[in-house]
Amino acid sequence: MAMALAGALAASAGEVKVDFSRGRWNPAEWLTFKSLRFDYIGTFDQMDDHIVNRADPAWSDEELYAKHVTEVYASLVCPKKLSGSTIEVSSTMSFDHLMAPLIVLTPELDKDGKGRHAFKKHYEVVLYNEGINVWHYTYDDDASKPEAERLHWHLAAFARAPFSPKTKYELKVTMSKVEGREMRMTVECGNVKVGFEDADLPESFYAGVTGCEGRNRFYDFRAKTSDAKLDSAADGEH
């Protein structure tokens, strides 16, 4: 229901809560994004208690992964810019086979040359069967190159741990301002926790969810901001 989502977005200046169950949210309140790596806009199918990125039902999980892994990318971004000394973004998610539901953070609501919302500079926090990856995407200024060739990415952080298919997990990303230092990202899922600091981490951004490389299911989305700062002298570092 439109009012349910609008109420969630407006309930607090520092909090967003969305339930992806049928009838509990309004897709029109979200922005559909594409990847510059693929020239299509993917979509999600509505299920009773979640959404799932669209894939041909005739494809088995194994066939999808072997032959169609680049054809199932779909992403939704909440158009509420998040800012604060501490920003928490989380989603309950699962994957049917091997990979790879994710939380995406983008500092801007960029568009491609055709006017479609598309990610340029952004971060992906990815859950998959062997752990968690954090990918940092950059976008260069060479306008003579095709857009896809201007996109570059590297693995900014990772943690190796087993995660099971068809199992719900809460993936949480916390962005924090650390006194006297750079921004810090901390990622938590189950008993796994990984973090890093980087001058490129944005202090404010938009967030959303992306399904790719398999059938990925998302049950909810939450974001919370506060003015609490991390004290680097009290966080156990040496």
Side-chain angles (χ1 to χ4, degrees):
M1 294 179 291
M3 291 183 61
L5 179 61
L9 293 177
S12 168
E15 190 166 10
V16 174
K17 294 182 180 179
V18 178
D19 180 347
F20 285 132
S21 297
R22 191 188 308 276
R24 299 296 300 274
W25 70 296
N26 180 8
E29 296 283 349
W30 289 68
L31 300 177
T32 300
F33 264 69
K34 67 179 292 292
S35 169
L36 289 176
R37 298 165 62 190
F38 315 125
D39 192 24
Y40 67 88
I41 300 174
T43 58
F44 285 90
D45 289 327
Q46 181 69 61
M47 312 304 283
D48 285 342
D49 66 347
H50 66 277
I51 55 174
V52 56
N53 55 319
R54 182 168 296 173
D56 190 327
W59 299 338
S60 67
D61 290 334
E62 293 74 16
E63 180 184 0
L64 192 164
Y65 183 69
K67 299 180 180 179
H68 306 285
V69 72
T70 63
E71 301 173 37
V72 295
Y73 183 100
S75 188
L76 292 172
V77 172
C78 179
K80 176 181 175 67
K81 196 158 195 179
L82 304 170
S83 62
S85 297
T86 299
I87 306 170
E88 295 180 0
V89 179
S90 63
S91 177
T92 304
M93 59 183 65
S94 66
F95 53 91
D96 282 12
H97 186 220
L98 300 177
M99 52 190 70
L102 64 94
I103 290 174
V104 61
L105 311 179
T106 178
E108 303 296 338
L109 299 176
D110 291 310
K111 294 184 178 181
D112 67 7
K114 297 179 180 179
R116 301 171 295 184
H117 280 109
F119 295 114
K120 293 182 178 178
K121 296 179 180 179
H122 65 287
Y123 284 85
E124 292 181 346
V125 182
V126 185
L127 176 68
Y128 73 116
N129 65 314
E130 294 183 353
I132 297 169
N133 286 337
V134 180
W135 294 97
H136 180 196
Y137 285 75
T138 58
Y139 189 73
D140 70 44
D141 297 325
D142 187 353
S144 67
K145 297 190 300 186
E147 288 180 309
E149 294 181 12
R150 298 170 66 182
L151 193 67
H152 312 279
W153 58 94
H154 70 273
L155 188 61
F158 67 91
R160 294 293 170 259
F163 290 97
S164 300
K166 299 181 180 179
T167 302
K168 291 183 183 180
Y169 294 100
E170 181 187 46
L171 181 65
K172 183 170 79 169
V173 180
T174 304
M175 298 282 278
S176 307
K177 291 182 181 179
V178 184
E179 293 284 4
R181 298 227 298 268
E182 297 167 342
M183 287 289 292
R184 174 184 297 178
M185 178 188 288
T186 304
V187 181
E188 300 172 76
C189 189
N191 295 321
V192 179
K193 185 174 184 178
V194 61
F196 69 102
E197 294 178 7
D198 190 336
D200 286 340
L201 287 169
E203 294 188 9
S204 61
F205 54 86
Y206 303 89
V209 295
T210 301
C212 60
E213 301 181 0
R215 292 182 177 92
N216 305 161
R217 303 175 190 273
F218 299 92
Y219 300 84
D220 57 39
F221 175 88
R222 297 172 301 283
K224 182 172 63 174
T225 66
S226 77
D227 292 326
K229 292 185 179 180
L230 268 177
D231 181 358
S232 60
D235 63 5
E237 295 187 357
H238 304 281

